[in-house]
Amino acid sequence: MTTNRPDVAEALLAAGWTHNGNELRNGDLFWRATTQPGDSALRRGVDWIAEFTPHCPAIAVVAACLAAAGQPVDQLADVIPLRPHATPTV
């Protein structure tokens, strides 16, 4: 699977989602990067649930996917950093 959102894909895979062609799957939910760089979308069956712009933070996309799948919110901290790492200043 190729994606313009490897951060989201990595987090969803860590949360137990699986590869399904060009999408990631959890039950009847599917997430995939769309044709526009950085865009992605979440669907259930043939119905689209949400579309995410490239400016949407990975944590928001992952949280929406986990919530739609009914996965525990506390699992979010296991698959994506909740706080950005501070960049040391010199």
Side-chain angles (χ1 to χ4, degrees), residues 1-13 17-26 28-34 38-44 48 50-52 58 61-62 64-65:
M1 181 182 121
T2 60
T3 179
N4 293 319
R5 294 299 307 254
D7 50 353
V8 174
E10 182 179 317
L12 292 177
L13 288 168
W17 291 55
T18 58
H19 288 282
N20 186 61
N22 289 330
E23 300 176 306
L24 294 182
R25 179 181 187 171
N26 184 319
D28 63 346
L29 288 170
F30 299 88
W31 174 85
R32 68 179 172 128
T34 59
D39 284 358
S40 65
L42 178 65
R43 70 180 173 87
R44 173 172 274 129
W48 291 100
E51 293 182 15
F52 307 99
V61 177
V62 174
C65 291

Side-chain angles (χ1 to χ4, degrees), residues 47-70:
D47 298 321
W48 291 100
I49 296 173
E51 293 182 15
F52 307 99
T53 68
H55 303 292
C56 189
I59 194 167
V61 177
V62 174
C65 291
L66 294 181

